[in-house]
Amino acid sequence: MKTVVVRNITRADSNAVGTLGAVGVATAHEAFGRFGLMKTYMRPIYPGAQIAGPAVTVLAQPGDNWMLHVAVEQCQKGDVLVVGCTADNTDGMFGELLATSLRARGVKGLIIDAGCRDVKALQEMDFPVWSKAISAKGTVKATLGAVNVPVVCAGVNVEPGDVIVADDDGVVVIPKKDAVETAQKAQKRHDDEDGKRKQLESGVLGLDMYKMREPLEKAGLRYVDNPEDV
Amino acid sequence: MKTVVVRNITRADSNAVGTLGAVGVATAHEAFGRFGLMKTYMRPIYPGAQIAGPAVTVLAQPGDNWMLHVAVEQCQKGDVLVVGCTADNTDGMFGELLATSLRARGVKGLIIDAGCRDVKALQEMDFPVWSKAISAKGTVKATLGAVNVPVVCAGVNVEPGDVIVADDDGVVVIPKKDAVETAQKAQKRHDDEDGKRKQLESGVLGLDMYKMREPLEKAGLRYVDNPEDV
Amino acid sequence: MKTVVVRNITRADSNAVGTLGAVGVATAHEAFGRFGLMKTYMRPIYPGAQIAGPAVTVLAQPGDNWMLHVAVEQCQKGDVLVVGCTADNTDGMFGELLATSLRARGVKGLIIDAGCRDVKALQEMDFPVWSKAISAKGTVKATLGAVNVPVVCAGVNVEPGDVIVADDDGVVVIPKKDAVETAQKAQKRHDDEDGKRKQLESGVLGLDMYKMREPLEKAGLRYVDNPEDV
Amino acid sequence: MKTVVVRNITRADSNAVGTLGAVGVATAHEAFGRFGLMKTYMRPIYPGAQIAGPAVTVLAQPGDNWMLHVAVEQCQKGDVLVVGCTADNTDGMFGELLATSLRARGVKGLIIDAGCRDVKALQEMDFPVWSKAISAKGTVKATLGAVNVPVVCAGVNVEPGDVIVADDDGVVVIPKKDAVETAQKAQKRHDDEDGKRKQLESGVLGLDMYKMREPLEKAGLRYVDNPEDV
Amino acid sequence: MKTVVVRNITRADSNAVGTLGAVGVATAHEAFGRFGLMKTYMRPIYPGAQIAGPAVTVLAQPGDNWMLHVAVEQCQKGDVLVVGCTADNTDGMFGELLATSLRARGVKGLIIDAGCRDVKALQEMDFPVWSKAISAKGTVKATLGAVNVPVVCAGVNVEPGDVIVADDDGVVVIPKKDAVETAQKAQKRHDDEDGKRKQLESGVLGLDMYKMREPLEKAGLRYVDNPEDV
Amino acid sequence: MKTVVVRNITRADSNAVGTLGAVGVATAHEAFGRFGLMKTYMRPIYPGAQIAGPAVTVLAQPGDNWMLHVAVEQCQKGDVLVVGCTADNTDGMFGELLATSLRARGVKGLIIDAGCRDVKALQEMDFPVWSKAISAKGTVKATLGAVNVPVVCAGVNVEPGDVIVADDDGVVVIPKKDAVETAQKAQKRHDDEDGKRKQLESGVLGLDMYKMREPLEKAGLRYVDNPEDV
């Protein structure tokens, strides 16, 4: 691997980013054909945040947050910082001071496949983080990694500039070349849900609304009146 | 396994359900002789909910929520939907739309040995869910399972109509034939705790209140004044 | 192992305890040279609490909370109770009644390498607990352990009287003989952070504030303009 | 739960048991419609064993193997002992002496949702065990459970007399009422595999043998010559 | 994601593949600068195999092995099949029949971020597999994925044609563009180890052979004669 | 923590070490009152080894094996090297070269709460290792730890010179001050087992041999003839 920092990256279309952030992770993930979801161990450090932005990526050594400091300079307003590690790690590579620095540059949040600390302070300053662990374990600044190269974060390959969408349901990555099309599909799904919700609220069954009765029968589902008839 | 839906199930006594829901999981579990507790990975998606109700059960294929749609029609006011899977799974098999449909039928909550999504919306509509994971991963509707057959959910066998009690401490299952007796014992335990709480608040030691000093001495517990006397 | 209760223990310096509690886990851990942190599976049962105090220690059998009752009597105002087990266990060995008893003696909180129950009631009475699990599983009172002997709790050896610091970032143990020196270093780190925070808020980069550019260059970090230059 | 020992149980058809044991777990599981498989954490303590037999069941308290001693007396030649626990546990509840006793009664092996010890001796005496863990942790004999009641073991409900099939691929449970039909289907699958194996060995592709090309095309699979055509 | 099969891929240099396979995973991984190692949960289903080959990649849906059948046709003699999933899965997606088919085409082995079954038969036919789990759970053939697109497998991004090296220590991925250089470095490391081994066997200390005494002293390591001097 | 190497340690009585090694882990653990067992994730890298020896201890930083090289010099014939880490780690901190060096000094084996690599070579040279993981991940030599200070390894506090017993059942630690007494008790248990084994082989039930029938009846165990009598 090259220990390198790439200065100029192409960021995903900003309108698409806006749309994807508004519909949230579940809808964006469905619209992209159910790909790109990070592993479910990635959890927000506090509930309620919902963000989207192009990724600035960091490949870090476990227990070493040197490259996070390097990455700050490469971030622009609206970006989301994404950190992958070369080996499994839960150390607290990120805390209040780095968040203060990212906040000063307009960064929306952090996605880190490792640990995070100062979680109370981060919630007070409303800087959202999705991480694998919460840990006070401090880190060294000793070994190089890279910034703005492709990284695997929580099971998903992230290219610099890809759209990151994150909320209470998790984190999804939409490649920048697919952002516009996915955003359109996501918006359509989102709009369609309103009608469905109203029908279901009124007591219409999904069985009828989705016309499932016939395919269920064809697949062989059998109704019986009582347990002893099974 | 039969791919079947059982329409008529016997539900546990409703007074017993009410009592067990009021005393909560820890007391109900103790009253039932410390059996029936689901594994501790079953966690509420938001804190504070406490429910009880007879189980409508679903046996689902991993990553496939078809049978949840089927199950909605079998639910009555006050029921709790319980979903077991044929293999380990964390996909988000349940979300806002299904919750809207269950809410319209008066269902109190969901227990699912798999994933849940739309957790923010579910909290806003106050529809409580206890799940193994939070995941935006969408599911297909392709393979049959069964409704209202016995299912193993998070390590416990659940028969349709059994009492499900769920709160911040977890989920316990009381078989319907044991519900009335367990509810009585639970109420008694609950009532007894008030007196104990008051004694302990006043500074009485559990050692004395529970008369433990003698059995401890008999078991061989030794008191020494200083570490070097050990 | 001796099944023994040690009555008189030496507690860490109370001023040091106060300082370490005020700066919190991350800073205390750094000040102690990044040692003494419990495993990250130790989580608060509700967010926001921050405590410090000398440890009263319990070595318990899995699924048996008899020794917790014995330990209550050995606690003084300001202490933190620390429970280790002889084997992995997630049972709910601690709940509202024991908390009531500890509260009556002025104990600040509990650290338990096992499960906890009654979490809603504990939050309402604001008695903080850091545990490995939340579980309603009740426990027996059948086998002896020990009180105020050294115990391993979540990967760290704790001697009676050592300082326990716990907050949303986790739990750290500072040996009592190191408490005063660590508290001084921790206070200094804490004071230094204010200045750094202000600089970072104003947009100064950590790269410059920490003078990292030269060591990064020496280590071989290379900047390129575009992805194709990598 | 009742603390009871049931003396007379109905065992699954012995011919069916023989067939299922001969075809092994994967084929038996497929023949039963892909149900009944225990969780994958159940692993043989040494490779190579393959057994089948009717279940004698034990519900045990964690860390307590009293009921295993009780269960020995209920075992007959050809049985498989199945142990479920009332809470997660990895203690070594079973070892060489109990195996000697079971061997004397002709029991074929043990399935235990907890730990096992003396694994070297067990391999030397060729007494196969499938367990959740290997652990030297000893257990007490203090609390009652039950023998020959339904138990949940590694996620599957086991009724006394059900067929247990176990080999290097894991453990599957076939209810006794389904044993004969499942054995027939399993034998047929097994016989069919020989022909398939020969075709595949000769270089015929599964794509052709299973006639997958058309359904794949219908489902939308597209072939391109080069990566840049994607 | 595109549901596509790429027919022509560029495979890594075959001499480099040979060298990397001969030195094994640990040396290849060191030679590549300690990158590219799959997560440690990837284990061989039986000990002793050591392989290397260019990757043919499969992106599969969890619990669905349809694309594995498709991939067989794209494999050449010497290849290694690599399977990533769109969500965490442990189902037994691969067994004896697929292995027979791959063996007929000269494929060296399988790397699968999911489950494997028929492990006894696979060992008997000496077809090595590195997997996340062993599971008899059967799979469907219902949903498309892709063949010969980049996939994330056990935390590492794999491009078609990249070198896969696998042995008892795990699995490492060397990108095809880095294969020749890495193979040269790996061979050199391998050759150097012989001399070191001989020195160490003769009793020379690593402290002296690696000239560590001075840097250790500079770093502040202190020697004391007795525990009480610490 | 002090970054220090202690040169002179007191080793446990060598006769006791011999006895404990001969009886193995399960018996030693029972003889010590069921304390001192390391967590069950500590597994031998190959089956069949059984060792005992006084501990030389290492406290290492995660991903850094510098102190292992330092520790070699402190080892004597018959010792067992024990490595604890300051944070969870699975990197391959130990391999063939270090084993060669330890072998040259007569060290019997390694216990490491982290990863191990070169497992095939280690088995060929018959140098046994009990570790948390197998991983090819290489390590740096950058940060000091300590040698021959107390370390927590896999949940147990180990003092230099304590007896380590390890076999296929796991690893147990007997403090050196308790070694002689524990060895005597262990020998007695071991001798007693022969007689029990013979009785059980002859078909005597444990129920009778251990005289359990009366206490079981007193505890309330009930025998019924048929399932419907429960």
Side-chain angles (χ1 to χ4, degrees):
Chain A
M1 213 230 23
K2 302 303 194 306
T3 51
V4 75
V5 180
V6 177
R7 283 204 189 93
N8 300 317
I9 62 170
T10 309
R11 285 168 169 84
D13 178 83
S14 63
N15 285 332
V17 168
T19 302
L20 291 165
V23 298
V25 171
T27 302
H29 165 68
E30 289 281 355
F32 187 49
R34 291 181 194 146
F35 293 99
L37 193 71
M38 289 192 184
K39 290 191 186 290
T40 59
Y41 63 67
M42 294 297 283
R43 299 298 307 143
I45 59 168
Y46 58 86
Q50 180 164 335
I51 64 168
V56 167
T57 64
V58 179
L59 181 56
Q61 305 290 346
D64 188 316
N65 72 353
W66 214 9
M67 299 312 288
L68 274 79
H69 290 275
V70 173
V72 173
E73 192 177 25
Q74 307 306 318
C75 291
Q76 299 181 357
K77 187 165 162 27
D79 285 348
V80 173
L81 195 62
V82 175
V83 182
C85 281
T86 61
D88 277 2
N89 187 251
T90 61
D91 293 350
M93 296 172 65
F94 183 88
E96 186 194 0
L97 289 182
L98 270 166
T100 302
S101 198
L102 287 175
R103 164 63 48 87
R105 296 186 80 80
V107 171
K108 286 191 178 168
L110 173 81
I111 314 294
I112 184 165
D113 197 356
C116 173
R117 61 181 182 178
D118 300 336
V119 298
K120 197 183 202 174
L122 291 171
Q123 181 164 17
E124 283 165 5
M125 64 188 282
D126 193 19
F127 188 89
V129 174
W130 286 256
S131 70
K132 183 182 180 178
I134 291 170
S135 168
K137 183 74 167 69
T139 47
V140 296
K141 292 163 192 28
T143 313
L144 294 185
V147 174
N148 278 334
V149 299
V151 298
V152 173
C153 180
V156 180
N157 194 49
V158 184
E159 306 269 342
D162 284 352
V163 189
I164 306 298
V165 191
D167 63 19
D168 287 354
D169 287 349
V171 185
V172 71
V173 183
I174 312 294
K176 57 179 171 262
K177 70 176 168 48
D178 300 305
V180 172
E181 185 187 339
T182 304
Q184 287 166 344
K185 288 185 185 167
Q187 186 64 54
K188 190 168 174 335
R189 285 187 74 91
H190 183 77
D191 296 343
D192 289 352
E193 290 208 342
D194 264 350
K196 289 181 188 166
R197 194 179 298 108
K198 277 179 194 134
Q199 284 194 63
L200 295 169
E201 273 172 353
S202 74
V204 175
L205 288 170
L207 282 177
D208 298 310
M209 189 176 79
Y210 297 114
K211 300 188 196 310
M212 289 175 173
R213 293 195 191 269
E214 194 182 311
L216 283 164
E217 194 184 344
K218 274 194 187 158
L221 188 66
R222 200 163 52 93
Y223 282 78
V224 303
D225 280 342
N226 297 303
E228 53 269 30
D229 306 332
V230 175
Chain B
M1 211 230 26
K2 301 305 193 304
T3 50
V4 75
V5 180
V6 177
R7 282 204 189 93
N8 300 316
I9 62 171
T10 309
R11 285 169 169 82
D13 178 85
S14 62
N15 285 333
V17 168
T19 301
L20 291 165
V23 299
V25 172
T27 301
H29 165 69
E30 289 281 355
F32 187 49
R34 290 181 196 149
F35 293 99
L37 193 69
M38 289 193 184
K39 289 192 185 290
T40 60
Y41 63 67
M42 294 298 282
R43 297 299 306 144
I45 60 168
Y46 57 87
Q50 180 164 337
I51 64 168
V56 168
T57 63
V58 179
L59 181 57
Q61 305 289 345
D64 189 315
N65 72 352
W66 214 10
M67 299 313 287
L68 275 78
H69 290 275
V70 173
V72 173
E73 193 177 24
Q74 307 306 319
C75 291
Q76 299 181 357
K77 186 163 161 34
D79 285 348
V80 174
L81 194 62
V82 176
V83 182
C85 282
T86 61
D88 276 2
N89 186 251
T90 62
D91 293 350
M93 296 172 66
F94 184 87
E96 188 194 0
L97 290 181
L98 271 166
T100 302
S101 197
L102 288 175
R103 164 64 49 87
R105 296 185 82 79
V107 171
K108 285 192 177 167
L110 173 80
I111 314 294
I112 183 164
D113 197 355
C116 175
R117 61 181 182 176
D118 301 335
V119 298
K120 198 183 202 172
L122 291 170
Q123 182 164 15
E124 282 164 6
M125 63 189 282
D126 194 19
F127 188 90
V129 175
W130 286 256
S131 71
K132 184 183 180 177
I134 290 171
S135 169
K137 183 73 168 69
T139 46
V140 295
K141 292 162 191 28
T143 312
L144 295 185
V147 173
N148 278 334
V149 298
V151 298
V152 173
C153 181
V156 180
N157 194 48
V158 185
E159 306 270 341
D162 285 352
V163 189
I164 305 298
V165 190
D167 63 18
D168 287 354
D169 286 350
V171 185
V172 72
V173 183
I174 312 295
K176 57 181 171 261
K177 69 176 169 50
D178 300 305
V180 172
E181 184 187 341
T182 305
Q184 287 166 344
K185 288 185 186 166
Q187 186 63 55
K188 189 169 177 333
R189 285 187 74 90
H190 184 76
D191 296 344
D192 288 352
E193 290 208 343
D194 263 351
K196 288 181 189 166
R197 194 180 298 109
K198 276 179 194 134
Q199 284 193 64
L200 295 168
E201 273 173 354
S202 75
V204 175
L205 287 170
L207 282 175
D208 297 311
M209 189 175 80
Y210 298 113
K211 300 189 195 311
M212 289 175 173
R213 293 194 191 271
E214 194 181 314
L216 283 164
E217 194 184 344
K218 273 193 187 159
L221 189 66
R222 198 164 53 93
Y223 283 78
V224 302
D225 279 342
N226 298 302
E228 54 269 29
D229 305 333
V230 175
Chain C
M1 213 229 26
K2 302 304 195 305
T3 50
V4 75
V5 180
V6 177
R7 282 206 189 90
N8 300 316
I9 62 170
T10 310
R11 287 169 169 82
D13 177 84
S14 63
N15 285 331
V17 168
T19 301
L20 291 165
V23 299
V25 173
T27 301
H29 165 68
E30 290 281 355
F32 188 49
R34 293 182 192 146
F35 293 99
L37 193 70
M38 289 192 185
K39 290 192 186 289
T40 59
Y41 64 66
M42 295 297 282
R43 300 298 305 144
I45 59 167
Y46 57 86
Q50 180 164 335
I51 64 168
V56 168
T57 64
V58 179
L59 181 57
Q61 305 289 346
D64 189 315
N65 72 353
W66 213 10
M67 299 312 287
L68 273 79
H69 290 275
V70 173
V72 173
E73 192 177 27
Q74 306 306 319
C75 291
Q76 299 181 357
K77 186 164 160 31
D79 285 348
V80 174
L81 194 62
V82 176
V83 182
C85 282
T86 61
D88 277 2
N89 187 251
T90 61
D91 293 351
M93 297 172 63
F94 184 87
E96 187 194 1
L97 290 181
L98 271 166
T100 302
S101 197
L102 287 175
R103 163 66 46 88
R105 296 185 81 79
V107 172
K108 286 192 177 168
L110 173 80
I111 314 293
I112 183 165
D113 197 356
C116 174
R117 61 182 182 176
D118 301 334
V119 297
K120 197 183 201 173
L122 291 170
Q123 182 165 15
E124 283 164 6
M125 63 188 283
D126 194 19
F127 188 89
V129 175
W130 286 255
S131 71
K132 184 183 179 176
I134 291 171
S135 169
K137 183 73 169 70
T139 47
V140 296
K141 293 164 190 28
T143 314
L144 294 184
V147 174
N148 278 334
V149 299
V151 297
V152 172
C153 181
V156 180
N157 194 48
V158 184
E159 306 269 342
D162 285 350
V163 189
I164 306 298
V165 190
D167 63 20
D168 287 353
D169 287 350
V171 185
V172 71
V173 183
I174 312 294
K176 57 180 172 261
K177 70 176 169 49
D178 301 304
V180 172
E181 185 187 340
T182 304
Q184 287 166 345
K185 288 185 186 167
Q187 186 64 56
K188 190 170 176 333
R189 284 187 74 92
H190 184 76
D191 296 344
D192 289 351
E193 289 209 344
D194 263 351
K196 288 182 188 166
R197 194 180 298 108
K198 275 177 195 137
Q199 283 194 65
L200 295 169
E201 273 172 354
S202 74
V204 175
L205 289 169
L207 283 176
D208 297 312
M209 190 175 80
Y210 297 114
K211 298 187 197 312
M212 289 174 174
R213 293 193 191 269
E214 194 181 312
L216 283 164
E217 194 184 344
K218 273 194 188 158
L221 188 66
R222 199 163 52 93
Y223 283 79
V224 302
D225 280 342
N226 298 302
E228 54 269 30
D229 305 333
V230 175
Chain D
M1 213 228 26
K2 301 302 193 308
T3 52
V4 75
V5 180
V6 177
R7 284 204 187 93
N8 300 316
I9 62 171
T10 310
R11 285 168 170 82
D13 176 83
S14 63
N15 285 331
V17 167
T19 302
L20 291 166
V23 300
V25 172
T27 301
H29 164 68
E30 289 280 356
F32 187 49
R34 291 180 194 147
F35 293 100
L37 193 71
M38 287 192 185
K39 290 191 185 290
T40 59
Y41 63 68
M42 294 298 282
R43 298 299 305 145
I45 60 167
Y46 57 86
Q50 181 165 335
I51 64 168
V56 167
T57 63
V58 179
L59 181 58
Q61 305 289 347
D64 187 316
N65 72 352
W66 213 11
M67 298 313 287
L68 274 79
H69 290 274
V70 173
V72 174
E73 193 178 24
Q74 307 307 318
C75 291
Q76 299 182 358
K77 186 166 160 34
D79 285 348
V80 174
L81 195 63
V82 176
V83 182
C85 282
T86 61
D88 276 2
N89 187 250
T90 62
D91 292 351
M93 296 172 65
F94 184 87
E96 187 194 0
L97 290 181
L98 270 167
T100 302
S101 197
L102 287 176
R103 164 65 47 89
R105 296 186 80 80
V107 171
K108 286 191 176 167
L110 173 78
I111 314 293
I112 183 165
D113 198 356
C116 175
R117 61 183 184 177
D118 301 335
V119 297
K120 198 183 202 172
L122 291 171
Q123 181 165 18
E124 283 164 7
M125 64 188 283
D126 194 19
F127 188 89
V129 175
W130 285 256
S131 71
K132 184 182 179 177
I134 291 171
S135 169
K137 183 72 169 69
T139 46
V140 296
K141 293 162 192 25
T143 312
L144 295 184
V147 174
N148 278 334
V149 297
V151 297
V152 173
C153 181
V156 180
N157 194 48
V158 185
E159 305 269 342
D162 285 351
V163 190
I164 305 298
V165 190
D167 63 19
D168 287 354
D169 288 349
V171 185
V172 72
V173 183
I174 312 293
K176 56 178 172 264
K177 70 176 167 49
D178 301 303
V180 172
E181 184 187 340
T182 305
Q184 288 167 344
K185 288 185 186 167
Q187 187 63 55
K188 190 168 174 337
R189 285 188 73 92
H190 184 75
D191 297 343
D192 290 351
E193 289 209 342
D194 264 351
K196 288 182 189 166
R197 195 180 296 107
K198 275 177 195 137
Q199 283 193 64
L200 294 169
E201 273 172 354
S202 75
V204 175
L205 288 170
L207 282 176
D208 297 312
M209 190 176 79
Y210 297 115
K211 298 188 198 310
M212 289 174 174
R213 291 194 193 270
E214 195 182 311
L216 283 164
E217 196 185 342
K218 273 194 189 156
L221 188 66
R222 198 163 53 93
Y223 282 78
V224 301
D225 280 341
N226 298 302
E228 54 268 30
D229 305 332
V230 175
Chain E
M1 213 229 26
K2 300 305 190 308
T3 51
V4 76
V5 180
V6 177
R7 282 206 188 91
N8 301 315
I9 62 170
T10 308
R11 285 168 169 83
D13 177 83
S14 62
N15 285 332
V17 168
T19 302
L20 291 165
V23 299
V25 172
T27 302
H29 164 68
E30 289 280 356
F32 187 49
R34 290 179 196 150
F35 294 99
L37 193 71
M38 288 192 185
K39 290 191 185 291
T40 59
Y41 63 67
M42 294 299 282
R43 298 300 304 144
I45 59 168
Y46 57 86
Q50 180 164 337
I51 64 168
V56 168
T57 62
V58 179
L59 181 58
Q61 305 289 346
D64 189 315
N65 72 352
W66 214 10
M67 299 313 288
L68 274 79
H69 290 275
V70 173
V72 174
E73 192 177 25
Q74 307 306 319
C75 290
Q76 299 182 357
K77 187 166 161 30
D79 285 348
V80 173
L81 195 62
V82 175
V83 182
C85 283
T86 60
D88 276 3
N89 188 250
T90 61
D91 293 350
M93 296 173 66
F94 183 88
E96 188 194 1
L97 290 181
L98 270 166
T100 302
S101 197
L102 287 175
R103 165 63 48 87
R105 297 186 79 82
V107 171
K108 286 191 176 168
L110 173 79
I111 314 293
I112 183 165
D113 197 355
C116 175
R117 61 182 183 176
D118 300 334
V119 298
K120 197 184 203 172
L122 292 171
Q123 182 165 16
E124 282 164 6
M125 63 188 284
D126 195 19
F127 188 89
V129 175
W130 286 255
S131 72
K132 183 181 179 178
I134 291 171
S135 169
K137 183 74 169 67
T139 45
V140 296
K141 293 162 192 25
T143 313
L144 296 185
V147 174
N148 279 334
V149 299
V151 298
V152 172
C153 181
V156 180
N157 194 48
V158 184
E159 305 269 341
D162 285 351
V163 190
I164 305 297
V165 191
D167 63 19
D168 287 354
D169 288 350
V171 185
V172 72
V173 183
I174 312 293
K176 56 180 173 261
K177 70 177 169 47
D178 301 304
V180 172
E181 185 186 340
T182 304
Q184 287 168 344
K185 288 184 185 166
Q187 188 61 56
K188 190 167 176 335
R189 284 187 74 92
H190 184 76
D191 297 344
D192 289 351
E193 289 208 342
D194 262 351
K196 289 181 188 166
R197 193 179 298 108
K198 277 182 192 131
Q199 283 194 64
L200 295 169
E201 273 172 354
S202 75
V204 175
L205 288 170
L207 282 176
D208 297 312
M209 190 176 79
Y210 298 113
K211 300 189 195 312
M212 288 175 174
R213 292 193 192 273
E214 195 182 312
L216 283 163
E217 196 185 342
K218 272 192 189 160
L221 188 66
R222 199 163 53 93
Y223 283 78
V224 302
D225 280 341
N226 298 304
E228 54 269 28
D229 305 333
V230 174
Chain F
M1 212 228 26
K2 300 304 193 309
T3 51
V4 76
V5 180
V6 177
R7 282 206 189 91
N8 300 317
I9 62 171
T10 309
R11 285 167 170 83
D13 176 84
S14 62
N15 285 332
V17 168
T19 301
L20 291 166
V23 300
V25 172
T27 301
H29 165 69
E30 290 281 356
F32 187 49
R34 293 183 194 146
F35 293 99
L37 193 70
M38 288 193 186
K39 290 191 185 289
T40 59
Y41 63 67
M42 294 298 283
R43 298 299 305 143
I45 59 168
Y46 57 86
Q50 180 165 336
I51 64 169
V56 168
T57 63
V58 179
L59 181 57
Q61 305 289 346
D64 188 315
N65 72 352
W66 214 10
M67 299 313 287
L68 274 79
H69 291 274
V70 173
V72 173
E73 193 177 25
Q74 307 306 319
C75 291
Q76 298 181 358
K77 187 165 161 29
D79 285 348
V80 174
L81 195 62
V82 176
V83 182
C85 283
T86 59
D88 276 3
N89 188 250
T90 62
D91 293 350
M93 296 173 64
F94 183 88
E96 187 193 1
L97 290 181
L98 270 166
T100 302
S101 197
L102 287 175
R103 165 65 47 87
R105 296 186 81 81
V107 172
K108 287 191 177 169
L110 172 79
I111 314 293
I112 183 166
D113 197 355
C116 175
R117 62 182 183 176
D118 301 335
V119 296
K120 197 183 202 172
L122 291 170
Q123 182 165 16
E124 282 164 6
M125 64 189 283
D126 194 20
F127 187 91
V129 175
W130 286 256
S131 71
K132 183 182 179 178
I134 292 171
S135 169
K137 183 73 169 70
T139 45
V140 296
K141 293 163 191 26
T143 312
L144 295 184
V147 173
N148 279 333
V149 298
V151 297
V152 173
C153 181
V156 180
N157 194 48
V158 184
E159 305 269 342
D162 284 352
V163 190
I164 305 297
V165 190
D167 63 20
D168 287 353
D169 287 350
V171 185
V172 72
V173 183
I174 312 293
K176 57 180 172 262
K177 69 177 170 46
D178 301 304
V180 171
E181 184 187 341
T182 304
Q184 288 167 343
K185 289 184 185 167
Q187 187 63 56
K188 190 168 176 336
R189 285 187 73 92
H190 183 77
D191 297 343
D192 290 351
E193 289 209 342
D194 263 350
K196 289 182 187 164
R197 195 180 297 108
K198 277 181 192 130
Q199 285 194 64
L200 294 170
E201 272 172 353
S202 75
V204 175
L205 288 170
L207 283 176
D208 297 311
M209 189 176 80
Y210 298 114
K211 301 187 195 311
M212 289 174 174
R213 292 193 192 270
E214 194 181 313
L216 283 164
E217 195 185 343
K218 273 193 188 157
L221 188 66
R222 198 163 53 92
Y223 283 77
V224 302
D225 280 341
N226 298 301
E228 53 270 31
D229 305 332
V230 175

